[in-house]
């Protein structure tokens, strides 16, 4: 996990998970629209997941 990816996930979470697939982007986008903090947490979890 790079520092730039973490900064991007704090500023605009859906953009930080763009290479993880459309489903991840939609989940993070919906959570960001519901509240900024859930979107950031979801983005950090998806970025930290080593499987994809």
């Amino acid at each position: 996990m790079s520092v730039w990816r973490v900064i991007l996930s704090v500023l605009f979470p859906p953009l930080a998970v763009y290479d993880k697939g459309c489903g991840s982007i939609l989940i993070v986008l919906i959570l960001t629209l519901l509240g900024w903090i859930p979107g950031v947490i979801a983005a950090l979890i998806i970025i930290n997941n080593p499987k994809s």
Side-chain angles (χ1 to χ4, degrees), residues 33-46:
L33 291 175
L34 291 174
W36 177 71
I37 293 176
V40 171
I41 293 171
L44 289 174
I45 289 171
I46 291 171

Side-chain angles (χ1 to χ4, degrees), residues 2-50:
S2 69
V3 174
W4 296 112
R5 190 62 69 96
V6 173
I7 292 171
L8 190 60
S9 70
V10 171
L11 295 177
F12 190 65
L15 192 57
V17 296
Y18 74 94
D19 62 341
K20 301 295 183 177
C22 184
S24 297
I25 293 172
L26 288 175
I27 290 170
V28 174
L29 180 64
I30 291 169
L31 287 172
T32 303
L33 291 175
L34 291 174
W36 177 71
I37 293 176
V40 171
I41 293 171
L44 289 174
I45 289 171
I46 291 171
I47 289 170
N48 229 2
N49 190 2

